[in-house]
Amino acid sequence: MGWAIAVHGGAGDIPLSLPPEKRLPREAGLRRCLDVGIAALKAHNHPLDVVELVVRELENNPHFNAGKGSVLTTSGTVEMEACIMDGKTMKCGAVSGVSTVVNAISLARLVMDKTPHIYLAFDGAEAFAREQGLETVEMSHFITPENIERLKQAQEADRVQLDYTQPIPKEVPKEAAVADGDSQIGTVGCVAVDSEGSLATATSTGGIVNKMVGRIGDTPIIGAGTYANHLCAVSATGRGEAIIRGTIARDVAAVMEFKGLSLKEAAAYVIDQVPRGNAGLIAVSSTGEVTMPFNTTGMFRACATEDGYSEIAIWDSPTK
């Protein structure tokens, strides 16, 4: 038994030809966030504090679809979601429809710690953030030129588009277009376990490009995109509707408990039940196991364990 941590920056149809200017900043972001998490675990911070800290770092990185890099709705607005959960107590907090809070994951943590509720959304979540003194900014802070272009692409193609999709040539019929972008599906997440076996998970996202105003995905739904108990901690990424239908995060824990499978076996089984091209997840167990399966082309991911193993990868083979 020992500490372990895993981080993800989204799964999807990520081409092997992903250009360096899109790949390298995300790999560097994952490496930085992994180092932040490792240092926090080595300093004996509680896993709940560790996952919040790491996801805040990811939210502040415009190369990921959360916080500063959040994608846009049909109206060109930002609606962010986040969720955090403690495995031992099973306390949790979630938010949706957040548009001015710099770090949605910290707002989710406050919902968990400071209210009798689990989930706040839209105006109520925003009001609570101001009441608690969280840092807020104008919505324009979150809107990047890249995401304005993504929205334009999606609206021209008349589709809901997942994060990181490459431009579609105008001469290609939209029904024939293939999303071959620089990570198609975007969410960020972190799972961690300390040497005492305490577990925690956190997930944050901007959702999907050109989503309807008010659309809620899997990230803030306990048991779908985010879940932790005494056995494991899970953060999922992919097509939210598919993850909600599959209750992916909870199913990993359930398969471990009721089928007696290891973390790796349980996570592989659950991902295999989801239609191909739709999901990935990161998970750690109370005994320090870590796994990062996905059924998409790739998933931006990183992990480390107390015994010295570490990995930063996008496709099937780790990148150094």
Side-chain angles (χ1 to χ4, degrees):
M1 182 186 291
W3 59 258
I5 184 170
V7 180
H8 74 74
D13 189 9
I14 311 170
L16 293 171
S17 59
L18 183 67
E21 65 269 19
K22 293 183 179 294
R23 174 176 57 84
L24 295 176
R26 292 185 173 96
E27 288 179 347
L30 289 174
R31 186 172 286 107
R32 170 173 166 71
C33 289
L34 187 65
D35 289 344
V36 166
I38 291 169
L41 284 168
K42 286 182 174 178
H44 305 291
N45 291 350
H46 191 279
L48 197 63
D49 297 325
V50 174
V51 297
E52 180 186 1
L53 178 66
V54 170
V55 170
R56 283 175 61 96
E57 288 285 330
L58 289 161
E59 288 175 336
N60 293 339
N61 186 324
H63 296 290
F64 297 107
N65 177 15
K68 176 67 172 171
S70 292
V71 297
L72 307 180
T73 70
T74 54
S75 298
T77 57
V78 168
E79 292 183 353
M80 298 172 286
E81 304 180 315
C83 185
I84 192 166
M85 188 167 186
D86 177 64
K88 184 175 183 180
T89 64
M90 297 187 73
K91 290 182 64 179
C92 47
V95 293
S96 284
V98 176
S99 59
T100 69
V101 179
V102 172
N103 293 112
I105 194 63
S106 292
L107 180 56
R109 175 74 183 270
L110 286 171
V111 172
M112 182 186 84
D113 288 343
K114 304 291 188 181
T115 81
H117 308 306
I118 288 174
Y119 196 164
L120 292 180
F122 297 93
D123 290 349
E126 290 279 343
F128 180 64
R130 292 191 294 272
E131 176 189 307
Q132 293 296 312
L134 280 186
E135 183 182 2
T136 59
V137 292
E138 292 296 320
M139 188 191 296
S140 58
H141 166 83
F142 303 102
I143 299 176
T144 65
E146 188 175 16
N147 282 326
I148 292 172
E149 181 60 29
R150 283 178 180 149
L151 179 61
K152 181 182 175 184
Q153 293 169 23
Q155 291 180 335
E156 286 175 352
D158 191 24
R159 67 175 183 178
V160 170
Q161 177 174 303
L162 296 164
D163 180 28
Y164 307 145
T165 305
Q166 298 274 29
I168 301 168
K170 286 186 168 57
E171 64 273 13
V172 178
K174 68 185 178 188
E175 62 271 16
V178 176
D180 60 348
D182 57 15
S183 171
Q184 197 184 355
I185 302 171
T187 302
V188 303
C190 180
V191 293
V193 59
D194 64 15
S195 56
E196 305 298 316
S198 298
L199 292 150
T201 177
T203 315
S204 183
T205 188
I208 55 177
V209 184
N210 204 27
K211 65 181 180 179
M212 292 176 65
V213 172
R215 179 261 188 187
I216 292 171
D218 65 288
T219 291
I221 298 179
I222 302 299
T226 310
Y227 189 76
N229 67 2
H230 65 290
L231 293 173
C232 64
V234 183
S235 175
T237 174
R239 296 179 185 268
E241 285 73 15
I243 293 170
I244 292 169
R245 291 186 193 105
T247 58
I248 287 178
R250 167 59 186 158
D251 272 12
V252 174
V255 169
M256 288 181 70
E257 183 171 1
F258 302 123
K259 289 179 73 76
L261 298 187
S262 69
L263 176 75
K264 187 172 183 179
E265 292 168 334
Y269 172 82
V270 170
I271 287 295
D272 193 50
Q273 303 307 300
V274 183
R276 188 156 189 83
N278 280 282
L281 65 82
I282 55 173
V284 292
S285 73
S286 60
T287 56
E289 300 169 279
V290 61
T291 190
M292 304 184 291
F294 53 95
N295 68 13
T296 54
T297 305
M299 180 170 74
F300 288 104
R301 64 198 189 276
C303 71
T305 60
E306 189 169 349
D307 63 12
Y309 178 79
S310 67
E311 174 185 335
I312 297 174
I314 304 173
W315 302 283
D316 285 339
S317 300
T319 57
K320 303 301 182 184

